[in-house]
Amino acid sequence: MENTPIIQVAYDAVMQTGESPLWHADEQVLYWVDIPARTVHRLDPASGAHHQWLLESEPASLAIADSGGLIVATRNGVLHLDTASTGASAPDIGATEVRTTVIAPAPYDTAITRFNDGKVDGAGRYWIGTIYEPRDQPAAAMYVLEQGKLRCAWTGGMTNSNGLAFSPDQKTMYHADTSAHLLRRFDYDVATGTVGAEHVFRQFSADKANNYGGRPDGGAVDSEGNYWSALFEGARIVKLSPQGEVLAEIALPVRCPTMVAFGGPNLRTLYITSAGARPAEELAQYPFSGKLLALQVDVAGRPEPAYRQ
């Protein structure tokens, strides 16, 4: 089990829906997004310097680009963000230069669907799932961006694609369908980018009347192959073994954590984004909601691979 950690506020401003924390090992900075606010954020933990970029449509997922800058999955499609462009230091935003280049337009109806969670595999492919916003049927899909080309890997069987992560040996893809409270694992061939047999990794209870613990949102895998999941509405994160057993549980001062990422010089800082656009009674009970949190963990994470253009 993890030791009881000291949870700190890494960035104090409140996000409406903070998501997709991404540690850039070369730059030693953390990137993340606020989806409804249409902003990409960058924090240098060593200096405290913060920067942000306002985009034309909602960003939901980030990847490091091997040529520099970021790949951003937005409602309107996938684009490259030049992080050397001016952007802005909060609160001065909107009147500065933001350089983006469209890589692939959205392959779906943007009125009811947008890109959501995504991760890069060990071969440099960027896997990005969608969220079907009406949530009345499992109509989300999974896409792959590979060398500038976007293809559909599968459709259906999920409503809110989340929790993407890969095992250290790249033989397993982890995935969450948040709406179904379900974590899956897939056999994975990184050489070909082929997704194989599907297995139930862990099913969380959907019974909100009896000891409800939240539903799986974003996730990350540490250097020992354990999967860490942010449980939205559960005020906690859990660390699961490769067999799906709960190894540790960490209570949080936010009810709706959205995603975790390993960062810091030794990759033993766990960053946690959260939702701040929540009911007033919830915010009164969880006043850190929407803020970027950080805690120290015993097992290091792994550097995130870059998307290969």
Side-chain angles (χ1 to χ4, degrees):
M1 300 289 285
E2 295 288 315
N3 297 323
T4 302
I6 297 174
I7 300 172
Q8 298 178 318
V9 175
Y11 185 65
D12 198 45
V14 172
M15 306 288 115
Q16 295 179 54
T17 305
E19 264 286 7
S20 192
L22 173 68
W23 180 256
H24 197 306
D26 291 342
E27 298 180 5
Q28 290 290 291
V29 299
L30 186 81
Y31 290 94
W32 74 96
V33 304
D34 186 345
I35 298 174
R38 307 191 341 261
T39 51
V40 176
H41 294 260
R42 179 179 67 202
L43 176 69
D44 181 345
S47 68
H50 170 263
H51 220 65
Q52 62 190 42
W53 295 264
L54 178 64
L55 303 184
E56 292 183 357
S57 70
E58 304 101 299
S61 176
L62 302 174
I64 299 167
D66 64 354
S67 60
L70 296 176
I71 308 299
V72 188
T74 76
R75 179 182 295 275
N76 290 345
V78 184
L79 55 83
H80 176 268
L81 171 63
D82 180 0
T83 53
S85 60
T86 308
S89 296
D92 178 23
I93 185 168
T96 50
E97 179 187 23
V98 179
R99 292 196 295 266
T100 59
T101 304
V102 175
I103 298 173
Y108 46 70
D109 181 355
T110 58
I112 56 174
T113 301
R114 65 166 169 79
F115 276 125
N116 200 41
D117 184 85
K119 282 284 176 68
V120 175
D121 71 13
R125 304 179 191 89
Y126 187 18
W127 290 79
I128 324 162
T130 66
I131 177 171
Y132 178 68
E133 292 177 313
R135 292 181 172 86
D136 56 4
Q137 58 180 305
M142 181 67 70
Y143 293 88
V144 189
L145 184 68
E146 186 171 9
Q147 296 183 338
K149 304 294 184 181
L150 191 66
R151 64 178 171 88
C152 184
W154 75 80
T155 59
M158 56 188 177
T159 302
N160 183 1
S161 179
N162 247 318
L164 275 170
F166 295 90
S167 61
D169 63 8
Q170 297 289 299
K171 293 183 178 179
T172 300
M173 170 192 281
Y174 294 98
H175 175 265
D177 183 351
T178 301
S179 299
H181 299 243
L182 176 64
L183 283 170
R184 301 180 177 97
R185 60 179 178 86
F186 295 88
D187 298 338
Y188 186 62
D189 184 347
V190 70
T192 63
T194 302
V195 178
E198 173 186 335
H199 313 272
V200 173
F201 183 49
R202 190 169 187 89
Q203 177 72 64
F204 293 88
S205 173
D207 184 358
K208 293 190 176 184
N210 295 289
N211 198 30
Y212 177 61
R215 55 191 190 270
D217 203 318
V221 173
D222 65 28
S223 57
E224 294 182 352
N226 304 305
Y227 181 87
W228 297 66
S229 178
L231 292 176
F232 193 88
E233 293 185 336
R236 62 186 178 129
I237 54 178
V238 292
K239 173 184 174 182
L240 304 174
S241 74
Q243 292 74 41
E245 302 166 325
V246 176
L247 301 178
E249 179 178 325
I250 300 173
L252 299 174
V254 298
R255 183 167 183 254
C256 295
T258 56
M259 191 171 175
V260 298
F262 294 92
N266 59 7
L267 294 176
R268 292 192 178 189
T269 301
L270 191 69
Y271 288 100
I272 307 158
T273 49
S274 63
R278 301 293 299 168
E281 59 272 20
E282 180 177 314
L283 297 178
Q285 183 178 359
Y286 298 97
F288 288 174
S289 296
K291 299 184 179 185
L292 176 70
L293 305 180
L295 57 92
Q296 299 302 307
V297 292
D298 296 335
V299 177
R302 299 173 299 129
E304 288 295 331
Y307 166 69
R308 297 179 189 173
Q309 294 174 295

